[in-house]
Amino acid sequence: MSIFDEGIARRPGEITEAEWRQRLELAACYQVFDFLGWTESIFNHISVRVPGPEKHYLVNPFGLNYAEITASNLIKVDVNGQLVTPSVYGGNRAGFIIHGAVHDARDDAHCVMHTHTDSGMAVACSQDGISYDNFYGAQLFGRVAYHDFEGITVHREEQARLLASLGNKSILVLKNHGLLVVEKSLMKAFWLMWTLQRACDVQCRVETMGNKSIPVSDAIRRQSAFDGENFDPDGLLGQKMLEAMVRKMDIVRHNLYPNFRF
């Protein structure tokens, strides 16, 4: 049983059960990002494509903190950023330029995550980019692409260049800017973003020590990338990670710590 099942009973009649479940999962993910400190005031986005033939996706309304995002106040837009259903909120043009372009061009892009964390931006500003020479970085081998900085992403003409840079990869390092993850589901995107964030955290710590990383061979990197994604026998690694983090967030917020004596 999923921790999101309880929220299904609160579904408004005009929203399908499939979309409402996506809204629950996405709203939870926004609040988990806030809990983890992966936020940048009211900026950045996590978007999820809505089931159906239309290229519509759910994203945060511009002006709300991640901690304020709920299943009902997420906005649904098309790839041009136009509201599909009425809302008192609008969106952020910078998000539409990136997320709309990816959802439109990549049929497998069901979830797109963009962050401006300190270590993520630091690595994005580094000439060498992502290091594959730590436990987490090795799991990213073969997944990473890079896009040159063109300023704030509000110009539609950048979309084609951004898509060309991304290609068929799951991670796009926006140079001098931040990190982007593109995946086939929100759960898998969460696993990959968590791994990417940890890789950047460790890389920055190593560099502050003034030491060079111990090199890892490409063969070990390839094996690590495969094993990191496939070691869970149930194939539910991302779901297990996100649901565990939601439970941890609830424990801290509501002082629901289990008594270890039982």
Side-chain angles (χ1 to χ4, degrees):
M1 180 176 179
S2 169
I3 61 173
F4 302 107
D5 289 343
E6 180 184 352
I8 294 296
R10 301 186 180 94
R11 175 178 65 90
E14 69 275 13
I15 299 178
T16 66
E17 183 172 328
E19 180 181 329
W20 187 247
R21 180 173 289 276
Q22 282 193 327
R23 285 176 172 270
L24 292 169
E25 293 172 353
L26 181 55
C29 191
Y30 270 108
Q31 295 205 19
V32 164
F33 271 44
D34 177 79
F35 180 70
L36 293 170
W38 296 354
T39 57
E40 184 85 334
S41 184
I42 60 173
F43 304 102
N44 297 163
H45 307 83
I46 311 165
S47 61
V48 171
R49 183 162 170 191
V50 177
E54 305 90 354
K55 293 182 177 180
H56 298 162
Y57 63 93
L58 302 169
V59 71
N60 52 316
F62 189 46
L64 295 186
N65 296 296
Y66 277 21
E68 299 175 292
I69 302 300
T70 66
S72 57
N73 66 26
L74 288 160
I75 60 174
K76 182 160 66 170
V77 299
D78 63 21
V79 293
N80 295 311
Q82 299 299 312
L83 286 172
V84 174
T85 54
S87 174
V88 297
Y89 301 102
N92 181 353
R93 178 173 174 78
F96 301 147
I97 293 298
I98 296 176
H99 291 248
V102 176
H103 283 296
D104 190 27
R106 290 266 300 261
D107 289 337
D108 63 330
H110 291 286
C111 182
V112 181
M113 296 179 171
H114 177 44
T115 60
H116 281 185
T117 60
D118 289 352
S119 61
M121 292 184 73
V123 171
C125 291
S126 169
Q127 289 188 350
D128 294 333
I130 298 285
S131 169
Y132 303 114
D133 293 333
N134 67 63
F135 180 86
Y136 298 103
Q139 296 178 51
L140 307 176
F141 188 65
R143 303 180 191 273
V144 183
Y146 294 85
H147 179 65
D148 288 336
F149 186 55
E150 298 188 27
I152 300 174
T153 49
V154 293
H155 302 290
R156 193 170 295 276
E157 56 268 23
E158 186 179 354
Q159 288 182 314
R161 294 186 292 274
L162 187 147
L163 291 170
S165 297
L166 175 63
N168 64 354
K169 301 295 186 182
S170 298
I171 296 171
L172 184 64
V173 176
L174 301 165
K175 294 182 182 179
N176 309 96
H177 182 172
L179 306 175
L180 193 74
V181 164
V182 177
E183 265 298 351
K184 62 184 180 181
S185 70
L186 181 145
M187 304 301 185
K188 189 170 183 181
F190 179 75
W191 159 75
L192 190 55
M193 180 60 82
W194 187 87
T195 305
L196 175 60
Q197 181 61 39
R198 289 294 293 136
C200 292
D201 291 343
V202 173
Q203 181 176 335
C204 288
R205 290 293 186 94
V206 171
E207 291 174 356
T208 61
M209 293 168 59
N211 297 326
K212 291 185 177 181
S213 297
I214 301 170
V216 175
S217 70
D218 283 358
I220 296 297
R221 292 168 174 173
R222 280 191 290 270
Q223 190 64 53
S224 297
F226 177 84
D227 291 340
E229 184 173 1
N230 295 285
F231 79 90
D232 178 22
D234 299 324
L236 299 173
L237 178 60
Q239 179 177 336
K240 291 176 179 178
M241 290 179 66
L242 180 61
E243 292 190 355
M245 194 57 67
V246 171
R247 293 195 304 272
K248 184 174 182 179
M249 178 176 67
D250 284 344
I251 286 171
V252 173
R253 284 179 169 180
H254 306 294
N255 198 28
L256 298 174
Y257 290 92
N259 190 329
F260 68 89
R261 297 172 183 84
F262 289 94

